[in-house]
Amino acid sequence: MIQWLIRRYTKGQDPTSAHTRDIVGRISGSLGIFFNIFLFVIKFGIGTIVHSISIQADGINNLTDAGSSIVSVISFHFANKPADQEHPFGHQRTETLTSFVIALFLCVLGIRMMEESILKIQHPNAIDFRWITILVLVISICVKGYMYFYNMDLSKTYHSSLLKAVAMDAISDLFGTSAVLLSTCISPLLHVNLDGYMGVIVSVLIMYNAFQLIKETVNDLIGKAPDPETIKALKTILMEDDKIFGVHDVMIHDYGPGQVFASAHVEVDAEDNILDIHDTIDNLEHIVKDQLQMELVLHMDPVKINDPLTNQYRLVVKNAIKEIDEGWTFHDFRIVDGPTHTNLVFDLVVPFNEKRSKAELTQILEAHIKTHKKVYLVITIDHPMTGA
């Protein structure tokens, strides 16, 4: 059904555009509002009749989900707004913020349900088994399963953290309702009301999924490293050009689908014509935009490619670094040669977990460098810049 609605309302439109994402988000949100209000009405009504706190809580959870669906529809609307003076990178991170809010709601709901469940364990009600209760719970499980699958599918198709959050919320409800169904079926057989115990299980599941969503959305907001495959694809495109001899200091900033910005340093021959290099860089930026949908800015680092003395010292440093730690690399290498000594100037790239100071690292490296002439190391300590 949902695919039919999407095809109908997005016919002929770019599937990657913000407008298409807005339509998809509205369709998903509108269906979520309808399904959740429907489930709230039947669950809360049955829960009241049979005096089941877990069924009532499950129904209230659905009402909260309906509110979350309303928020998601509004969120997709704001995320579709174009960039403006105050938000030059667009509004796509509105989705991430909304996902974070939904995760907080889930966490609060889990805590409240835990409190109610503990009270129910302490003061259990009489068991009231009715087949209509089983029917309602089975219907709820089927509906939530359907909501999980279509939202997860859409989240992958349109790369939406918000739709993924909605899907995770749906699967949490499915597990919770399944626990309530199990309690309803087993309690009469054991002559013990398991309602409160199942409520505890449901609340733990809800809080666990809430924590996972909070962790994921916070990482997105702070700035996490991009997919290594994206870095690999970017470097592959750049290194295919014969004027590029090295790529480093790659940084990618993701503001949401269609709003990915990147920068990188490329090593070029210092003896090459600067206008030719500029033309090459322009072409590469356009190729990356076309193939990876990424706005790229390149900074060129001129290096002496065919200078024997530079190449000699570069090899010395390369061998020294290999002896110390194969995880180290270096770039932006150049020399300043004088009559009594030579300065070796370069960026030393070490892992983020390296605890030694710059002075200690320099001393270690100096001990491994063997030349006939005195050398001084002018080092800038760097880290693998693979994303932000």
Side-chain angles (χ1 to χ4, degrees):
M1 178 178 66
I2 191 167
Q3 292 295 342
W4 176 81
L5 289 172
I6 291 173
R7 286 194 297 270
R8 178 179 178 183
Y9 288 102
T10 63
K11 187 175 182 180
Q13 298 185 23
D14 181 4
T16 63
S17 70
H19 183 62
T20 299
R21 290 170 55 81
D22 181 26
I23 293 175
V24 171
R26 292 188 186 195
I27 292 173
S28 173
S30 298
L31 287 176
I33 294 169
F34 170 78
F35 285 137
N36 283 307
I37 289 179
F38 166 71
L39 292 176
F40 164 71
V41 171
I42 62 174
K43 282 186 188 177
F44 196 81
I46 291 298
T48 302
I49 293 172
V50 302
H51 307 291
S52 171
I53 184 65
S54 60
I55 296 178
Q56 287 179 321
D58 214 18
I60 293 173
N61 183 25
N62 293 139
L63 185 61
T64 304
D65 292 341
S68 298
S69 295
I70 294 173
V71 172
S72 70
V73 171
I74 297 173
S75 170
F76 274 109
H77 171 70
F78 280 104
N80 186 40
K81 293 176 62 179
D84 53 36
Q85 185 174 352
E86 295 180 349
H87 308 94
F89 301 111
H91 298 78
Q92 279 80 357
R93 280 191 177 175
T94 305
E95 287 187 38
T96 307
L97 287 171
T98 306
S99 302
F100 179 72
V101 172
I102 291 175
L104 289 179
F105 277 137
L106 279 172
C107 191
V108 172
L109 175 65
I111 294 172
R112 291 297 301 273
M113 185 180 291
M114 176 70 77
E115 293 173 350
E116 293 292 332
S117 299
I118 292 174
L119 289 175
K120 191 65 180 289
I121 292 173
Q122 295 172 341
H123 308 285
N125 293 327
I127 299 172
D128 188 355
F129 178 85
R130 304 192 189 194
W131 284 108
I132 186 64
T133 304
I134 303 299
L135 178 62
V136 167
L137 294 176
V138 170
I139 291 173
S140 176
I141 290 171
C142 293
V143 170
K144 283 297 179 178
Y146 174 64
M147 292 179 67
Y148 166 76
F149 283 111
Y150 78 68
N151 278 297
M152 185 59 75
D153 181 60
L154 293 176
S155 73
K156 294 176 181 178
T157 302
Y158 297 96
H159 307 287
S160 171
S161 64
L162 179 51
L163 290 175
K164 182 178 180 180
V166 174
M168 295 306 297
D169 186 22
I171 199 66
S172 296
D173 292 344
L174 187 150
F175 288 144
T177 304
S178 298
V180 175
L181 176 61
L182 184 63
S183 168
T184 304
C185 294
I186 294 179
S187 292
L189 300 176
L190 300 179
H191 305 291
V192 176
N193 195 332
L194 300 177
D195 191 37
Y197 298 97
M198 289 300 177
V200 169
I201 295 174
V202 172
S203 63
V204 170
L205 287 172
I206 290 174
M207 286 188 286
Y208 173 78
N209 283 317
F211 174 77
Q212 294 299 319
L213 285 174
I214 289 173
K215 181 180 177 181
E216 183 174 332
T217 53
V218 167
N219 283 340
D220 287 337
L221 291 171
I222 292 175
K224 64 181 181 181
D227 181 3
E229 291 300 318
T230 301
I231 295 291
K232 181 180 179 181
L234 174 60
K235 287 186 174 181
T236 298
I237 292 173
L238 298 178
M239 290 301 296
E240 283 178 349
D241 194 289
D242 57 10
K243 289 186 178 294
I244 306 300
F245 297 94
V247 180
H248 56 268
D249 285 356
V250 178
M251 299 184 69
I252 296 180
H253 303 269
D254 191 344
Y255 290 87
Q259 293 293 325
V260 180
F261 301 87
S263 62
H265 290 209
V266 290
E267 295 181 353
V268 297
D269 189 347
E271 303 299 324
D272 207 343
N273 184 287
I274 191 170
L275 294 178
D276 291 342
I277 295 174
H278 183 270
D279 185 68
T280 296
I281 286 177
D282 270 352
N283 290 335
L284 288 172
E285 289 172 346
H286 285 294
I287 292 171
V288 169
K289 183 175 182 179
D290 291 339
Q291 295 187 15
L292 302 181
Q293 290 74 54
M294 181 187 298
E295 295 286 348
L296 176 65
V297 176
L298 292 176
H299 170 81
M300 65 176 183
D301 290 328
V303 295
K304 291 186 177 181
I305 302 299
N306 298 313
D307 179 56
L309 190 61
T310 300
N311 290 340
Q312 175 188 331
Y313 280 113
R314 182 185 288 113
L315 182 60
V316 168
V317 173
K318 180 179 179 180
N319 290 335
I321 287 177
K322 186 177 181 180
E323 290 177 6
I324 300 169
D325 192 328
E326 292 189 354
W328 291 9
T329 60
F330 70 105
H331 56 77
D332 287 351
F333 184 86
R334 62 187 184 277
I335 67 171
V336 181
D337 192 35
T340 62
H341 67 276
T342 301
N343 291 336
L344 308 184
V345 187
F346 57 93
D347 290 3
L348 178 64
V349 183
V350 297
F352 282 99
N353 59 2
E354 176 59 65
K355 302 299 182 183
R356 288 168 290 190
S357 67
K358 176 181 177 180
E360 290 174 316
L361 295 175
T362 302
Q363 186 177 14
I364 293 170
L365 192 53
E366 285 176 341
H368 286 76
I369 290 181
K370 301 175 179 62
T371 61
H372 68 283
K373 188 177 181 181
K374 180 66 177 177
V375 297
Y376 293 105
L377 304 185
V378 184
I379 299 175
T380 298
I381 300 299
D382 202 355
H383 298 292
M385 301 295 288
T386 56

